[in-house]
């Protein structure tokens, strides 16, 4: 997973090491949902109307209303060329974090790269079939969609749509049944040209308004404080879940979740925030 305004140094480091997000325990068969969950028809995910000049719309947060909702999002970053690092033992997953979210019954949105789904198909399938989570698109390659984006390699303009569609293909091949039409730019970097290139893909670009600052952080309390200080009704929080690049995130989540619940917040997926914002909070969605 995944333009940052706070903790830029940490994200810059993440862009070079590029951790990833995980699902359940990799050594075991991925759990399957109850028949009622798998057989229930999926409602179409809420999306935003195209922005000015027909550009891909950009969503940053939900309505700032009395309904105290917040969406935790986790970027599952893995680049197209990191297979040798995974083969050498680097972990681009974090089963304990996903297990904690399940134990705490926290809905979440996972922005997954196609390369990650190829590396961890059982875990991608487990996430995609668990009603607690939704899988969204973080590109196939985790290459940047603009120049000068934290040192990331760049996707040529003519290949941007294909990179996004290749990720959806990887999700289907891994067994993810309902990847959402939401896209997060690698590094959070985009411009009008990138928005124009993705218009035919029909996705809503999803940014955030709270940066967790968990990239390579070792102080879980500091990560938790940063999130808790930034959250407002309708917030979208960006975090990461990888043992190698965000080792403190799971411990931070164990602080963040009960404290926000104590403050009256309800955790939702991005799709619920977008549904609530449709036609109501245009300022939040302007590119």
């Amino acid at each position: 997973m995944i333009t940052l305004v706070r903790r830029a140094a940490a994200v810059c480091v993440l862009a070079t090491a590029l951790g990833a997000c995980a699902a359940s325990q990799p050594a075991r068969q991925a759990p399957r949902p109850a028949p009622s969950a798998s057989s229930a028809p999926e409602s179409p995910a809420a999306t935003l109307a195209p922005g000015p000049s027909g550009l891909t719309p950009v969503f940053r947060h939900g309505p700032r209303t009395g309904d105290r909702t917040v969406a935790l999002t986790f970027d599952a970053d893995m680049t197209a060329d990191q297979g040798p690092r995974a083969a050498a033992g680097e972990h681009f997953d974090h089963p304990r974090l996903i297990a904690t979210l399940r134990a705490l019954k926290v809905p979440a949105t996972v922005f997954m790269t196609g390369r990650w789904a190829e590396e961890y198909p059982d875990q991608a399938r487990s996430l995609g079939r668990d009603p607690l989570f939704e899988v969204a698109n973080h590109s196939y390659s985790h290459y940047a969609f603009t120049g000068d984006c934290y040192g990331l390699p760049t996707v040529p303009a003519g290949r941007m749509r294909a990179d996004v569609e290749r990720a959806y293909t990887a999700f289907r091949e891994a067994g993810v049944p309902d990847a959402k039409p939401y896209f997060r730019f690698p590094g959070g970097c985009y411009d009008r040209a990138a928005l124009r290139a993705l218009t035919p893909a029909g996705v809503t670009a999803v940014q955030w308004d709270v940066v967790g600052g968990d990239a390579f952080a070792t102080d879980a309390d500091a990560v938790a404080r940063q999130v808790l200080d930034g959250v407002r009704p309708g917030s979208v929080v960006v975090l990461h879940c990888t043992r190698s690049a965000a080792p403190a995130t799971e411990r931070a989540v164990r602080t963040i979740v009960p404290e926000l619940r104590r403050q009256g917040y309800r955790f939702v997926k991005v799709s619920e925030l977008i549904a609530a914002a449709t036609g109501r909070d245009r300022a939040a969605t302007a590119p």
Side-chain angles (χ1 to χ4, degrees):
M1 353 123 122
I2 119 140
T3 355
L4 301 179
V5 294
R6 294 189 293 169
R7 300 297 294 247
V11 176
C12 181
V13 175
L14 181 65
T16 58
L18 299 172
C21 192
S24 61
Q25 299 174 0
R28 301 179 182 177
Q29 184 177 3
R32 296 183 180 274
S36 60
S38 60
S39 61
E42 289 283 348
S43 300
T47 55
L48 299 180
S53 303
L55 298 179
T56 296
V58 181
F59 181 79
R60 293 185 178 85
H61 61 77
R64 305 298 199 189
T65 65
D67 184 14
R68 296 167 75 82
T69 55
V70 58
L72 297 185
T73 70
F74 296 90
D75 288 357
D77 301 343
M78 187 172 182
T79 62
D81 57 0
Q82 287 184 322
R85 287 170 56 177
E90 183 169 351
H91 295 289
F92 297 93
D93 64 349
H94 199 329
R96 180 178 293 182
L97 173 59
I98 298 302
T100 294
L101 292 170
R102 284 176 166 142
L104 294 173
K105 296 180 172 58
V106 180
T109 302
V110 179
F111 285 88
M112 187 183 295
T113 68
R115 183 63 188 89
W116 191 95
E118 290 177 345
E119 188 71 26
Y120 304 104
D122 290 346
Q123 298 187 52
R125 181 168 59 252
S126 177
L127 280 169
R129 295 184 178 182
D130 187 337
L132 195 64
F133 302 105
E134 62 186 8
V135 172
N137 196 313
H138 196 30
S139 80
Y140 173 81
S141 61
H142 201 270
Y143 289 175
F145 282 56
T146 68
D148 192 25
C149 182
Y150 306 109
L152 288 171
T154 304
V155 179
R159 295 293 302 166
M160 290 179 180
R161 177 185 176 186
D163 189 84
V164 172
E165 292 176 344
R166 186 179 179 186
Y168 281 120
T169 297
F171 300 157
R172 288 192 297 271
E173 292 178 348
V176 176
D178 185 40
K180 303 302 179 187
Y182 308 143
F183 176 72
R184 176 164 285 168
F185 287 98
C189 304
Y190 70 92
D191 54 19
R192 289 181 63 87
L195 294 177
R196 186 178 301 108
L198 294 189
T199 297
V203 295
T204 293
V206 177
Q207 296 288 94
W208 54 81
D209 66 317
V210 179
V211 178
D214 59 336
F216 286 98
T218 57
D219 187 341
D221 290 337
V223 174
R225 283 195 303 271
Q226 179 149 321
V227 172
L228 294 171
D229 287 348
V231 165
R232 298 169 58 195
S235 280
V236 176
V237 181
V238 59
L239 291 162
H240 307 86
C241 43
T242 168
R243 282 176 276 179
S244 61
T249 307
E250 186 268 340
R251 287 176 287 136
V253 164
R254 286 192 270 120
T255 298
I256 292 165
V257 169
E259 175 56 25
L260 286 178
R261 282 177 169 157
R262 187 191 67 79
Q263 295 177 21
Y265 280 92
R266 178 172 62 91
F267 292 96
V268 299
K269 304 170 192 174
V270 165
S271 56
E272 185 170 333
L273 283 186
I274 292 178
T278 301
R280 292 169 52 187
D281 193 14
R282 306 305 299 174
T285 59

